[in-house]
């Protein structure tokens, strides 16, 4: 393995740091590396072709008062596969906030668990305002580049999908809604090349929905009126519709009037689901009511006759009790899937009658589900979810769910080993929905190493086909995506997978 140091971030974190989400599996990285011809235990399939991209939170400065793990600066990791070999890169997303704090050598924005009024910098980004847009939540591909995003809205930063060089912000030919930004989970339709997105804030109409075409033009943008400020996190789409939501977990209006942001669950208010024709107007929105819950992530949606079928994770307890634990245990209970109890769930929305039906699909507590993205917006059979360590925001295993039979296949990483959101990579020439590979990065606390694991999607329980050795232990994080080589410009035209664009 040939390793080269590309850069280092200035960090002011204390050497004796004891914060639970800046140590252990969440220990941040400050060094940017490139490594080629990675060592492999097992064999990388020759028909695995593309890049696995993963976003992580990597703080370089201490919080003003209380650090929340979602405050960390975005760092993207890429493991690229071509012709049975693999390479690795990791780079900070060069956001405006990251560059400003690197220049000042100190934090300039209050974080999620802090009072935004105490921010030294009175301008910022996001639905809350005055926050730093860390661009550390999601990463998706669109129009040949990777886009990173922030869960409370902000800019979309454009990255080269092989070198991870920051290429600036998405502008959509001057039409980007910079006054509001874009939320964490824009959705790519691989068949049309369209990117569907939403944003939200504290001012009426509280939400917008839009469509960007395959050439980066903002071709559709409408208001989605809500009763008040809400906390939507994800969306879904079908061939003809987009699905947004109004969940009964949102900022307390009384606290918000005082400039405070405290999320509260209202079990007496139903979940509301909005179905919009993909190029429809505000007047075309159809609302459906369902049992009160909070859905952090959707898996997929598709059309079935008169119905929209929508799969996601129904939380049994969106606001777990604070209890009598430590400050960190009370504050981070919203990161504990054991307490919130998300389970795979299905909603059926009848476009003719306006009625909804719903049912649980699994009793396994899981989240962060992915599918074969060639089936996004179409009927799917298989989903791949993460199971989590009780008490922590850490992924300790995978579960493959068969929606047709209800059968689940599971794989646990092992004690002290934690993974990332698992992407499904269809193999070259694939002929079936699960004809491909599952890709995830794991961090082994027992041996202080990280590996990228490659599984046969049709035989998860057999364990990894390949364990690709990475040059440093990777910090835990949030979302990931698979970018097939066919989506990456010039991918097949050079001797080395990244040689055309290396720094």
């Amino acid at each position: 393995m040939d390793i080269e140091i590309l850069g280092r971030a200035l960090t002011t974190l204390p050497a004796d740091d004891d914060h639970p989400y800046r140590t252990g599996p969440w220990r941040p990285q400050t060094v940017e590396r490139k490594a080629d011809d990675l060592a492999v235990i097992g064999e990388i399939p020759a028909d695995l072709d593309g890049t696995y991209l993963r976003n992580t939170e990597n703080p370089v400065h201490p919080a003003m008062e209380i650090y929340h793990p979602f405050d960390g600066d975005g760092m993207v990791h890429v493991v690229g596969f071509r012709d049975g070999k693999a390479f690795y890169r990791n780079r900070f997303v060069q956001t405006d906030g990251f560059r400003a704090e690197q220049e000042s050598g100190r934090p300039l924005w209050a974080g999620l668990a802090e009072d935004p009024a105490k921010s030294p910098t009175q301008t910022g980004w996001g639905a809350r305002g005055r926050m730093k847009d860390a661009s550390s939540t999601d990463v998706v591909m669109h129009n040949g580049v990777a886009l990173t995003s922030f869960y409370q809205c902000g800019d979309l930063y454009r990255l080269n999908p092989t070198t991870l060089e920051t290429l600036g912000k998405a502008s959509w030919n001057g039409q980007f809604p910079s006054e509001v930004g874009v939320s964490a989970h824009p959705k790519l339709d691989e068949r049309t090349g369209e990117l569907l997105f939403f944003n939200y804030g504290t001012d009426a109409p509280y939400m917008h929905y839009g469509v960007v075409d395959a050439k980066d033009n903002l071709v559709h943008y409408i208001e989605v009126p809500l009763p008040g400020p809400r906390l939507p996190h994800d969306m879904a789409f079908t061939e003809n519709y987009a699905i947004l939501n109004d969940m009964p977990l949102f900022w307390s209006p009384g606290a918000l009037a005082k400039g405070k942001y405290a999320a509260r669950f209202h079990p007496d208010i139903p979940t509301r689901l909005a179905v919009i024709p993909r190029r429809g107007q505000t007047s075309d929105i159809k609302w459906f009511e369902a049992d009160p819950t909070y859905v952090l992530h959707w898996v997929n949606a598709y059309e079935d006759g008169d119905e929209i079928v929508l799969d996601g994770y129904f939380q049994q307890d969106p606001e777990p009790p604070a209890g009598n634990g430590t400050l960190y245990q009370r504050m981070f209970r919203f990161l504990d899937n054991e307490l919130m109890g998300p389970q795979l769930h299905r909603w059926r929305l009848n476009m003719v009658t306006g009625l909804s039906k719903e049912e649980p699909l699994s009793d396994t507590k899981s989240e962060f589900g992915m599918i074969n993205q060639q089936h996004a917006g179409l009927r799917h059979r298989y989903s791949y979810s993460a199971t989590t360590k009780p008490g922590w925001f850490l992924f300790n295993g995978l579960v493959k769910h068969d929606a047709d039979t209800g059968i689940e296949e599971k794989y646990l990483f092992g004690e002290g080993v934690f993974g990332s959101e698992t992407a499904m990579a269809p193999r070259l020439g694939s002929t079936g929905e699960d004809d491909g590979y599952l890709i995830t990065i794991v961090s082994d606390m027992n041996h202080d190493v990280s590996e990228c694991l490659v599984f046969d999607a049709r035989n998860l329980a057999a364990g990894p086909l390949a364990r690709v050795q990475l040059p440093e232990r990777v910090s835990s994080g949030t979302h990931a995506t698979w970018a097939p080589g066919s989506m990456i410009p010039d991918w097949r035209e050079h001797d080395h997978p990244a040689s055309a664009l290396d720094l």
Side-chain angles (χ1 to χ4, degrees), residues 64-190:
M64 296 173 188
E65 294 178 345
I66 302 174
Y67 175 73
H68 189 283
F70 296 166
D71 296 337
D73 294 287
M75 174 184 276
V76 177
H77 306 258
V78 59
V79 183
F81 299 91
R82 204 182 83 175
D83 300 329
K85 295 185 178 181
F87 69 91
Y88 169 81
R89 308 281 186 271
N90 68 301
R91 305 298 299 268
F92 279 102
V93 183
Q94 296 289 316
T95 66
D96 291 345
F98 175 78
R99 291 199 304 268
E101 292 185 335
Q102 284 291 286
E103 291 174 4
S104 69
R106 66 188 180 96
L108 298 176
W109 285 272
L112 180 63
E114 299 172 322
D115 184 351
K118 296 182 179 179
S119 175
T121 303
Q122 295 303 303
T123 59
W125 299 264
R128 290 180 47 160
R130 291 194 238 173
M131 285 190 73
K132 179 175 65 175
D133 172 7
S135 209
S136 58
T137 306
D138 201 5
V139 56
V140 298
M141 285 289 294
H142 183 241
N143 196 24
V145 299
L147 301 174
T148 58
S149 55
F150 189 54
Y151 71 106
Q152 295 238 342
C153 300
D155 293 309
L156 296 180
Y157 282 86
R158 305 170 67 249
L159 273 62
N160 181 296
T162 55
T163 68
L164 302 183
E165 176 188 5
T166 301
L167 305 174
K169 304 174 188 177
S171 69
W172 297 340
N173 295 312
Q175 297 176 301
F176 188 87
S178 55
E179 72 285 355
V180 186
V182 170
S183 191
H185 293 298
K187 299 294 183 179
L188 173 69
D189 184 338
E190 291 189 7

Side-chain angles (χ1 to χ4, degrees), residues 392-413:
W392 288 88
F393 184 40
L394 291 169
F395 305 143
N396 61 11
L398 309 176
V399 55
K400 175 184 178 181
H401 181 87
D402 184 335
D404 287 358
T405 65
I407 293 173
E408 292 186 334
E409 186 178 6
K410 299 180 181 180
Y411 182 87
L412 293 177
F413 299 130

Side-chain angles (χ1 to χ4, degrees), residues 49-51 53 139-147 159-162 187-195 214 237 372-376 424 426 428 481-492 501:
D49 189 80
T51 61
L53 296 154
V139 56
V140 298
M141 285 289 294
H142 183 241
N143 196 24
V145 299
L147 301 174
L159 273 62
N160 181 296
T162 55
K187 299 294 183 179
L188 173 69
D189 184 338
E190 291 189 7
R191 292 177 301 283
T192 66
E194 290 180 333
L195 189 75
F237 69 91
N372 180 335
Q373 285 301 305
Q374 295 176 350
H375 289 253
M424 197 284 176
L428 293 176
T481 194
W482 172 253
S486 59
M487 282 189 181
I488 303 172
D490 301 328
W491 176 247
R492 301 296 303 177
L501 298 169

Side-chain angles (χ1 to χ4, degrees), residues 35 60 85 119 121 154 163 188 195-196 198 240 248 254 260 267 279 296 333 359 362 384 395 446 454 479 484:
V60 294
K85 295 185 178 181
S119 175
T121 303
T163 68
L188 173 69
L195 189 75
L196 288 71
F198 69 97
N240 296 295
K260 308 294 183 182
R279 301 290 181 94
L296 187 64
R333 67 190 188 278
E359 61 176 338
S362 171
Y384 311 93
F395 305 143
N446 308 301
V454 180
H479 291 282

Side-chain angles (χ1 to χ4, degrees), residues 159 284 386 397 434 484:
L159 273 62
D284 296 322
D434 64 344

